[in-house]
Amino acid sequence: MVPSVETTFPQTPLSRNRSYTLLWTSRTLSELGFHTTLIALPLLALAVTGSPAVAGLLQSINAVAQLVTGLPAGALVDRWPRKAIMLVCEAARAVVLTTLVVALVTDTVTVWHLFVVTAVVGACAAVFDPAEEATLPAIVPAAQLPTAIALNTARSHVGQLSGTSLGGILFGVRKVFPFLLDALTHLVAFLLLLFVRVPPRDPAPRPKGGLLAEVREGVAWVLRQRFIRTISLYVIGLNFLFQVLYITAIVSLGLVGTSSTQIGFMAAMFGAGGLLGAMCAPWLYRKLNHTVAIAGVFWALAALTPFMAFQDNGYLMGGLLAGMAFLAPTANTIVGTYQLLLTPDEFRGRMSSVMNLCGGLSVAGGAGLAGLLLEWVPSAWVFTGCAVALAALAIAVTSSGILRRLPGAGSTGEAEGQRKVPS
């Protein structure tokens, strides 16, 4: 059975939860700085070396650092105090970015320095994310988890939109400014985290064999959970196909001579659609049937994708992407809530790291496939193929027996003793 316990949202608002508010604010600043640096690092590489290859390699190093660190990070999060892990990550990012600021001021930046900064920033992100997610049920009541997850999704959209824009603007004023801002945001985030109160955890028994055995144990546990396994496969497929769509949309507009302003506006509309959806997600979570909400994301993409094949206007393409993005935060809230409540505390870090790894691989694979396809076939064919694949995926999700047994709107697994893994 899927856990089904009717919950009433507490009268005390989440905004009065001191630890969650501090953690949310800290992470918002960290996300802002991360995306500021993410856009500024390739620009700095171009300015220092003049090589587009080096700029592209920086992006690859960031992604590889996150993927390589991902699974061990989950085991460490389940082994060590999670607040301490988050503090170390923020401190490491602040220090390494400060070294880059100093190098820029003294005009001593090297390519290898940029590689090290990128790798550290990526690895810290891979460690911090499961630590934060695993900490959430310890500081937020189960009935408020959906709202907390939705607010975290909104935070990510805000950080991406504002950080990307700010990074480009600040770099244009002076090259050091984006990295100075990032170093300061991580420093402030570190200070805020010091005041987050995380209840102590009982030490869980660990398998013999060290970290590798713990990683294997976590992966095996995730694979045994039918609900988590099933929904994860669907979400991985959706992320993969959407990445193909997104890259194809950008390339197809560029090939027909659409202005960079329109393409930039398209990306902003996509982000705005996700942000609006995240703001509405707590209300939609309570009002929509959970099965309908999850399946609705797949059907929305399947229905809107064919229209993308006939667009050469960035604004209209952005409207389609915004429509696709709107329901995604609600589905993410539902899936994230069930995953956290179905997972025992001693496995939450590893569950999160497995999900993050799968998400990263699906995004990277989708982007790579889009590039290969567009070398050989027209973009309209790629859109058509994605529409067919999304429709098949939507039918599979709608007919999935395990998802049809999800409880109705506003319900979720709550009490520790009442959680049961779907069978």
Coordinates of all heavy atoms in Angstrom, one line a residue, residues 147-225:
T147 N 4.8 21.8 1.5 CA 5.0 23.3 1.4 C 6.5 23.6 1.4 O 7.0 24.4 0.6 CB 4.3 24.0 2.5 OG1 2.9 23.7 2.6 CG2 4.5 25.5 2.4
A148 N 7.3 22.9 2.2 CA 8.7 23.2 2.3 C 9.4 22.8 1.0 O 10.2 23.5 0.5 CB 9.3 22.4 3.5
I149 N 9.0 21.6 0.4 CA 9.6 21.2 -0.8 C 9.2 22.1 -2.0 O 10.0 22.5 -2.8 CB 9.1 19.7 -1.2 CG1 9.7 18.8 -0.2 CG2 9.5 19.3 -2.6 CD1 9.2 17.3 -0.3
A150 N 8.0 22.6 -2.0 CA 7.5 23.6 -3.0 C 8.3 24.9 -2.9 O 8.8 25.5 -3.9 CB 6.0 23.8 -2.9
L151 N 8.5 25.3 -1.7 CA 9.3 26.6 -1.5 C 10.8 26.4 -1.9 O 11.4 27.3 -2.4 CB 9.2 27.0 0.0 CG 7.9 27.6 0.5 CD1 7.9 27.8 2.0 CD2 7.6 28.9 -0.3
N152 N 11.3 25.2 -1.6 CA 12.7 24.9 -2.1 C 12.8 24.9 -3.6 O 13.8 25.4 -4.2 CB 13.1 23.6 -1.5 CG 13.4 23.6 -0.1 OD1 13.3 24.6 0.6 ND2 13.8 22.5 0.5
T153 N 11.7 24.4 -4.3 CA 11.7 24.5 -5.7 C 11.6 25.9 -6.2 O 12.3 26.3 -7.2 CB 10.5 23.7 -6.3 OG1 10.5 22.3 -5.8 CG2 10.5 23.7 -7.8
A154 N 10.8 26.7 -5.6 CA 10.7 28.2 -6.0 C 12.1 28.8 -5.7 O 12.5 29.7 -6.6 CB 9.6 28.8 -5.1
R155 N 12.7 28.5 -4.7 CA 14.0 29.1 -4.4 C 15.0 28.7 -5.5 O 15.8 29.6 -5.9 CB 14.5 28.5 -3.1 CG 15.9 28.8 -2.7 CD 16.4 27.8 -1.6 NE 16.6 26.5 -2.2 CZ 16.7 25.4 -1.4 NH1 16.6 25.5 -0.1 NH2 16.9 24.2 -2.0
S156 N 15.0 27.5 -6.0 CA 15.9 27.2 -7.1 C 15.7 28.0 -8.3 O 16.6 28.4 -9.0 CB 15.8 25.7 -7.4 OG 16.1 24.9 -6.2
H157 N 14.4 28.2 -8.6 CA 14.1 29.0 -9.8 C 14.5 30.4 -9.6 O 15.0 31.1 -10.6 CB 12.6 28.9 -10.1 CG 12.1 27.7 -10.7 ND1 12.4 27.4 -12.1 CD2 11.4 26.6 -10.2 CE1 11.9 26.2 -12.3 NE2 11.3 25.7 -11.3
V158 N 14.3 31.0 -8.4 CA 14.7 32.4 -8.2 C 16.2 32.5 -8.3 O 16.8 33.4 -8.9 CB 14.2 32.8 -6.8 CG1 14.9 34.1 -6.4 CG2 12.7 32.9 -6.8
G159 N 16.9 31.5 -7.7 CA 18.4 31.6 -7.7 C 18.9 31.5 -9.2 O 19.8 32.2 -9.5
Q160 N 18.3 30.6 -10.0 CA 18.7 30.4 -11.3 C 18.5 31.7 -12.2 O 19.3 32.2 -12.9 CB 18.0 29.2 -12.0 CG 18.5 29.0 -13.4 CD 17.9 27.7 -14.0 OE1 17.0 27.1 -13.4 NE2 18.3 27.3 -15.2
L161 N 17.3 32.2 -12.1 CA 16.9 33.4 -12.8 C 17.7 34.6 -12.5 O 18.3 35.3 -13.3 CB 15.4 33.7 -12.7 CG 14.4 32.8 -13.4 CD1 13.0 33.1 -13.0 CD2 14.5 33.0 -14.9
S162 N 17.8 34.9 -11.2 CA 18.5 36.1 -10.7 C 20.0 35.9 -10.8 O 20.7 36.9 -11.2 CB 18.1 36.5 -9.3 OG 18.4 35.4 -8.4
G163 N 20.5 34.8 -10.4 CA 22.0 34.5 -10.5 C 22.5 34.6 -11.9 O 23.6 35.2 -12.1
T164 N 21.8 34.0 -12.8 CA 22.3 34.0 -14.2 C 22.3 35.4 -14.8 O 23.3 35.8 -15.4 CB 21.4 33.1 -15.1 OG1 21.4 31.7 -14.5 CG2 21.9 33.0 -16.5
S165 N 21.3 36.1 -14.5 CA 21.2 37.5 -15.0 C 22.3 38.4 -14.4 O 23.0 39.1 -15.0 CB 19.8 38.1 -14.8 OG 18.8 37.3 -15.4
L166 N 22.4 38.2 -13.0 CA 23.3 39.1 -12.3 C 24.8 38.7 -12.6 O 25.6 39.6 -12.7 CB 23.1 38.8 -10.8 CG 23.6 39.9 -9.8 CD1 23.1 41.3 -10.2 CD2 23.2 39.5 -8.4
G167 N 25.0 37.4 -12.9 CA 26.4 37.1 -13.2 C 26.9 37.7 -14.5 O 28.0 38.2 -14.6
G168 N 26.0 37.7 -15.5 CA 26.4 38.4 -16.8 C 26.6 39.9 -16.6 O 27.5 40.5 -17.2
I169 N 25.7 40.5 -15.9 CA 25.8 42.0 -15.7 C 27.0 42.4 -14.9 O 27.8 43.3 -15.3 CB 24.5 42.5 -15.0 CG1 23.3 42.3 -15.8 CG2 24.7 44.0 -14.6 CD1 22.0 42.6 -15.1
L170 N 27.3 41.7 -13.8 CA 28.4 42.0 -12.9 C 29.8 41.7 -13.7 O 30.7 42.5 -13.5 CB 28.4 41.2 -11.7 CG 27.3 41.6 -10.7 CD1 27.3 40.6 -9.5 CD2 27.5 43.0 -10.2
F171 N 29.8 40.7 -14.5 CA 31.0 40.4 -15.2 C 31.3 41.5 -16.2 O 32.5 41.8 -16.5 CB 30.9 39.0 -15.9 CG 32.2 38.5 -16.5 CD1 33.1 37.8 -15.8 CD2 32.5 38.8 -17.9 CE1 34.3 37.4 -16.3 CE2 33.7 38.4 -18.4 CZ 34.6 37.6 -17.6
G172 N 30.2 42.1 -16.8 CA 30.4 43.1 -17.7 C 31.0 44.4 -17.0 O 31.7 45.2 -17.7
V173 N 30.6 44.6 -15.8 CA 31.1 45.8 -15.0 C 32.6 45.6 -14.7 O 33.5 46.4 -14.9 CB 30.3 46.0 -13.8 CG1 30.9 47.2 -13.0 CG2 28.9 46.3 -14.1
R174 N 32.9 44.4 -14.0 CA 34.3 44.1 -13.7 C 34.3 42.6 -13.5 O 33.5 42.0 -12.8 CB 34.8 44.8 -12.5 CG 36.3 44.7 -12.2 CD 36.7 45.6 -11.1 NE 38.2 45.4 -10.9 CZ 38.8 45.9 -9.9 NH1 38.2 46.7 -9.0 NH2 40.1 45.7 -9.7
K175 N 35.4 41.9 -14.0 CA 35.4 40.5 -14.0 C 35.4 39.9 -12.6 O 34.9 38.8 -12.4 CB 36.7 40.0 -14.7 CG 36.7 40.3 -16.2 CD 38.0 39.8 -16.8 CE 38.1 40.1 -18.3 NZ 38.0 41.6 -18.6
V176 N 35.9 40.5 -11.6 CA 36.0 40.0 -10.3 C 34.6 40.0 -9.5 O 34.4 39.2 -8.6 CB 37.0 40.7 -9.5 CG1 36.6 42.1 -9.1 CG2 37.4 40.0 -8.2
F177 N 33.7 40.9 -9.9 CA 32.5 41.1 -9.1 C 31.6 39.8 -9.0 O 31.1 39.6 -7.9 CB 31.7 42.2 -9.7 CG 32.2 43.6 -9.4 CD1 31.7 44.7 -10.0 CD2 33.3 43.8 -8.5 CE1 32.2 46.0 -9.7 CE2 33.8 45.0 -8.2 CZ 33.3 46.1 -8.8
P178 N 31.4 39.0 -10.0 CA 30.5 37.8 -9.8 C 31.1 36.9 -8.8 O 30.4 36.3 -7.9 CB 30.5 37.2 -11.2 CG 30.8 38.2 -12.2 CD 31.8 39.1 -11.4
F179 N 32.4 36.7 -8.8 CA 33.1 35.8 -7.9 C 33.2 36.3 -6.4 O 33.1 35.6 -5.5 CB 34.4 35.4 -8.4 CG 34.4 35.0 -9.9 CD1 34.8 35.8 -10.9 CD2 33.8 33.7 -10.2 CE1 34.7 35.4 -12.2 CE2 33.7 33.4 -11.5 CZ 34.2 34.2 -12.5
L180 N 33.3 37.6 -6.4 CA 33.3 38.3 -5.0 C 31.9 38.1 -4.4 O 31.8 37.8 -3.2 CB 33.6 39.8 -5.2 CG 33.6 40.6 -3.9 CD1 34.5 40.1 -2.8 CD2 33.9 42.1 -4.2
L181 N 30.8 38.3 -5.2 CA 29.5 38.2 -4.7 C 29.3 36.7 -4.3 O 28.7 36.5 -3.2 CB 28.5 38.5 -5.8 CG 27.0 38.2 -5.5 CD1 26.5 39.1 -4.4 CD2 26.1 38.4 -6.7
D182 N 29.7 35.8 -5.1 CA 29.5 34.4 -4.7 C 30.2 34.0 -3.4 O 29.7 33.3 -2.6 CB 30.0 33.5 -5.9 CG 29.5 32.0 -5.8 OD1 28.7 31.8 -4.9 OD2 30.0 31.2 -6.6
A183 N 31.5 34.5 -3.3 CA 32.2 34.2 -2.0 C 31.5 34.8 -0.8 O 31.4 34.1 0.2 CB 33.6 34.8 -2.1
L184 N 30.9 36.0 -1.0 CA 30.2 36.6 0.1 C 28.9 35.9 0.4 O 28.5 35.7 1.6 CB 29.9 38.1 -0.2 CG 31.1 39.0 -0.2 CD1 30.7 40.4 -0.7 CD2 31.7 39.1 1.2
T185 N 28.2 35.4 -0.6 CA 26.9 34.7 -0.3 C 27.2 33.4 0.4 O 26.4 33.0 1.3 CB 26.2 34.4 -1.7 OG1 27.0 33.6 -2.5 CG2 25.7 35.7 -2.3
H186 N 28.3 32.7 0.1 CA 28.6 31.4 0.8 C 29.0 31.7 2.2 O 28.8 30.9 3.1 CB 29.6 30.7 0.0 CG 29.1 30.0 -1.3 ND1 28.1 29.2 -1.3 CD2 29.5 30.2 -2.6 CE1 27.8 28.8 -2.5 NE2 28.7 29.4 -3.3
L187 N 29.7 32.8 2.4 CA 30.1 33.2 3.8 C 28.9 33.5 4.6 O 28.8 33.0 5.8 CB 31.0 34.4 3.7 CG 31.5 35.0 5.1 CD1 32.2 33.9 5.9 CD2 32.3 36.2 4.9
V188 N 28.0 34.3 4.1 CA 26.7 34.6 4.9 C 25.9 33.3 5.1 O 25.3 33.1 6.1 CB 25.9 35.7 4.1 CG1 24.6 35.9 4.8 CG2 26.7 37.0 4.0
A189 N 25.9 32.5 4.0 CA 25.1 31.2 4.1 C 25.7 30.3 5.3 O 25.0 29.7 6.0 CB 25.2 30.4 2.8
F190 N 27.0 30.3 5.3 CA 27.7 29.6 6.4 C 27.3 30.1 7.8 O 27.0 29.3 8.7 CB 29.2 29.7 6.2 CG 30.1 29.1 7.3 CD1 30.4 27.7 7.3 CD2 30.5 29.9 8.4 CE1 31.1 27.2 8.4 CE2 31.2 29.3 9.4 CZ 31.6 28.0 9.4
L191 N 27.3 31.4 7.9 CA 27.0 32.0 9.2 C 25.5 31.7 9.6 O 25.2 31.4 10.8 CB 27.2 33.5 9.2 CG 28.7 34.0 9.0 CD1 28.7 35.5 8.8 CD2 29.5 33.5 10.2
L192 N 24.6 31.8 8.6 CA 23.2 31.4 8.9 C 23.0 30.0 9.3 O 22.2 29.7 10.2 CB 22.3 31.8 7.7 CG 22.2 33.2 7.3 CD1 21.4 33.4 6.0 CD2 21.4 34.0 8.4
L193 N 23.8 29.1 8.7 CA 23.7 27.7 9.0 C 24.1 27.4 10.4 O 23.6 26.4 11.0 CB 24.5 26.9 8.0 CG 23.9 26.5 6.7 CD1 25.0 25.9 5.8 CD2 22.7 25.6 6.8
L194 N 25.0 28.2 11.0 CA 25.4 27.9 12.4 C 24.2 28.0 13.3 O 24.3 27.3 14.4 CB 26.4 29.0 12.8 CG 27.8 29.0 12.1 CD1 28.6 30.2 12.5 CD2 28.6 27.7 12.5
F195 N 23.2 28.7 13.0 CA 22.1 28.9 13.9 C 20.9 27.9 13.6 O 19.9 28.0 14.3 CB 21.6 30.3 13.9 CG 22.6 31.3 14.3 CD1 23.4 32.0 13.4 CD2 22.8 31.5 15.7 CE1 24.4 32.9 13.8 CE2 23.8 32.4 16.1 CZ 24.6 33.1 15.2
V196 N 21.1 27.0 12.6 CA 20.0 26.0 12.3 C 20.1 24.9 13.4 O 21.2 24.4 13.6 CB 20.2 25.5 10.9 CG1 19.2 24.3 10.7 CG2 20.0 26.6 9.9
R197 N 19.0 24.6 14.0 CA 19.0 23.5 15.0 C 18.5 22.2 14.4 O 17.4 22.1 14.0 CB 18.1 23.9 16.2 CG 18.6 25.1 16.9 CD 17.6 25.5 18.0 NE 18.0 26.7 18.7 CZ 17.2 27.4 19.6 NH1 16.0 26.9 19.9 NH2 17.7 28.4 20.2
V198 N 19.4 21.3 14.3 CA 19.1 20.0 13.7 C 19.1 18.9 14.8 O 20.2 18.8 15.5 CB 20.1 19.6 12.6 CG1 19.7 18.2 12.0 CG2 20.1 20.6 11.5
P199 N 18.0 18.2 15.1 CA 18.0 17.2 16.2 C 19.1 16.2 16.0 O 19.4 15.8 14.9 CB 16.6 16.6 16.1 CG 15.8 17.7 15.4 CD 16.7 18.3 14.5
P200 N 19.7 15.7 17.1 CA 20.8 14.7 16.9 C 20.1 13.4 16.5 O 19.0 13.1 16.7 CB 21.3 14.5 18.4 CG 20.2 15.1 19.3 CD 19.5 16.1 18.5
R201 N 20.9 12.6 15.7 CA 20.4 11.3 15.2 C 21.1 10.2 15.9 O 22.2 10.2 16.4 CB 20.8 11.2 13.7 CG 20.2 12.3 12.8 CD 20.9 12.4 11.5 NE 21.0 11.1 10.8 CZ 22.0 10.6 10.2 NH1 23.2 11.3 10.1 NH2 22.0 9.4 9.6
D202 N 20.3 9.1 16.0 CA 20.9 7.9 16.6 C 21.8 7.2 15.5 O 21.4 7.1 14.4 CB 19.7 6.9 17.0 CG 18.9 7.4 18.1 OD1 19.4 8.1 18.9 OD2 17.7 7.1 18.1
P203 N 23.0 6.8 15.9 CA 23.9 6.2 14.9 C 23.3 4.9 14.4 O 22.8 4.1 15.2 CB 25.1 5.9 15.8 CG 24.7 5.9 17.2 CD 23.5 6.8 17.3
A204 N 23.3 4.8 13.1 CA 22.7 3.6 12.4 C 23.8 2.6 12.2 O 25.0 3.0 12.0 CB 22.1 4.0 11.1
P205 N 23.5 1.3 12.3 CA 24.5 0.3 12.0 C 25.0 0.4 10.6 O 24.2 0.6 9.7 CB 23.8 -1.0 12.3 CG 22.4 -0.7 12.1 CD 22.2 0.7 12.6
R206 N 26.3 0.2 10.4 CA 26.9 0.3 9.0 C 27.4 -1.0 8.6 O 28.0 -1.8 9.4 CB 28.0 1.4 9.0 CG 27.5 2.8 9.3 CD 28.5 3.8 8.8 NE 29.8 3.7 9.4 CZ 30.2 4.5 10.4 NH1 29.3 5.4 10.9 NH2 31.4 4.4 11.0
P207 N 27.3 -1.4 7.3 CA 27.8 -2.7 6.9 C 29.3 -2.7 6.9 O 30.0 -1.6 6.8 CB 27.3 -2.7 5.4 CG 27.1 -1.3 5.0 CD 26.7 -0.6 6.3
K208 N 29.9 -3.9 7.0 CA 31.3 -4.0 6.9 C 31.8 -3.7 5.4 O 31.1 -4.0 4.5 CB 31.8 -5.4 7.3 CG 31.5 -5.7 8.7 CD 32.0 -7.1 9.1 CE 31.7 -7.4 10.6 NZ 32.1 -8.8 10.9
G209 N 33.0 -3.2 5.3 CA 33.4 -2.9 3.9 C 33.6 -1.4 3.7 O 34.0 -1.0 2.6
G210 N 33.3 -0.6 4.7 CA 33.5 0.9 4.5 C 32.5 1.6 3.6 O 31.4 1.1 3.4
L211 N 33.0 2.7 3.1 CA 32.1 3.6 2.3 C 31.5 2.9 1.1 O 30.3 3.1 0.8 CB 32.9 4.8 1.9 CG 32.1 6.0 1.2 CD1 31.2 6.6 2.3 CD2 33.1 7.0 0.7
L212 N 32.3 2.1 0.4 CA 31.8 1.4 -0.8 C 30.6 0.5 -0.5 O 29.6 0.4 -1.2 CB 32.9 0.7 -1.5 CG 32.5 0.0 -2.8 CD1 32.0 1.0 -3.8 CD2 33.7 -0.8 -3.4
A213 N 30.7 -0.2 0.6 CA 29.6 -1.1 1.1 C 28.4 -0.3 1.4 O 27.3 -0.7 1.1 CB 30.1 -1.9 2.3
E214 N 28.6 0.9 2.0 CA 27.4 1.7 2.3 C 26.8 2.3 1.1 O 25.5 2.4 1.0 CB 27.9 2.9 3.2 CG 28.3 2.4 4.6 CD 28.9 3.6 5.4 OE1 28.2 4.6 5.5 OE2 30.0 3.5 6.0
V215 N 27.6 2.6 0.1 CA 27.0 3.0 -1.2 C 26.2 1.9 -1.8 O 25.0 2.1 -2.3 CB 28.1 3.5 -2.2 CG1 27.5 3.7 -3.6 CG2 28.8 4.8 -1.7
R216 N 26.7 0.7 -1.9 CA 26.0 -0.4 -2.4 C 24.7 -0.7 -1.7 O 23.7 -1.0 -2.3 CB 26.9 -1.7 -2.4 CG 28.0 -1.6 -3.5 CD 28.6 -3.1 -3.7 NE 29.1 -3.6 -2.5 CZ 30.4 -3.6 -2.1 NH1 31.3 -3.0 -2.9 NH2 30.8 -4.1 -1.0
E217 N 24.8 -0.6 -0.4 CA 23.6 -0.8 0.5 C 22.5 0.2 0.1 O 21.4 -0.2 0.0 CB 24.0 -0.7 1.9 CG 22.8 -1.0 2.9 CD 23.2 -0.7 4.3 OE1 23.8 0.3 4.6 OE2 22.9 -1.6 5.2
G218 N 22.9 1.4 0.0 CA 21.9 2.5 -0.4 C 21.3 2.3 -1.7 O 20.1 2.4 -1.9
V219 N 22.1 2.0 -2.7 CA 21.6 1.7 -4.1 C 20.6 0.5 -4.0 O 19.6 0.5 -4.6 CB 22.7 1.5 -5.1 CG1 22.2 1.1 -6.4 CG2 23.5 2.8 -5.2
A220 N 21.1 -0.6 -3.4 CA 20.2 -1.8 -3.3 C 18.9 -1.5 -2.6 O 17.8 -1.9 -3.0 CB 21.0 -2.9 -2.5
W221 N 18.9 -0.6 -1.5 CA 17.7 -0.3 -0.8 C 16.8 0.5 -1.8 O 15.6 0.2 -1.8 CB 18.0 0.6 0.4 CG 16.8 0.8 1.2 CD1 16.3 0.1 2.2 CD2 15.9 1.9 1.1 NE1 15.1 0.6 2.7 CE2 14.8 1.7 2.0 CE3 15.8 3.0 0.2 CZ2 13.8 2.6 2.1 CZ3 14.7 3.9 0.3 CH2 13.7 3.7 1.3
V222 N 17.3 1.4 -2.5 CA 16.4 2.2 -3.4 C 15.8 1.3 -4.5 O 14.6 1.4 -4.8 CB 17.3 3.3 -4.1 CG1 16.5 4.0 -5.2 CG2 17.7 4.4 -3.1
L223 N 16.6 0.4 -5.0 CA 16.1 -0.5 -6.1 C 15.0 -1.4 -5.5 O 14.2 -1.9 -6.3 CB 17.2 -1.3 -6.7 CG 18.3 -0.5 -7.5 CD1 19.4 -1.4 -7.9 CD2 17.6 0.2 -8.7
R224 N 15.0 -1.7 -4.2 CA 14.0 -2.6 -3.7 C 12.6 -1.9 -3.4 O 11.6 -2.6 -3.2 CB 14.5 -3.2 -2.3 CG 15.6 -4.3 -2.5 CD 15.7 -5.1 -1.2 NE 16.0 -4.2 -0.1 CZ 17.2 -4.0 0.3 NH1 18.3 -4.4 -0.3 NH2 17.5 -3.2 1.4
Q225 N 12.7 -0.6 -3.4 CA 11.4 0.2 -3.1 C 10.6 0.4 -4.4 O 11.0 1.2 -5.3 CB 11.7 1.5 -2.5 CG 12.7 1.4 -1.3 CD 12.4 0.3 -0.3 OE1 11.3 0.3 0.2 NE2 13.4 -0.5 0.0

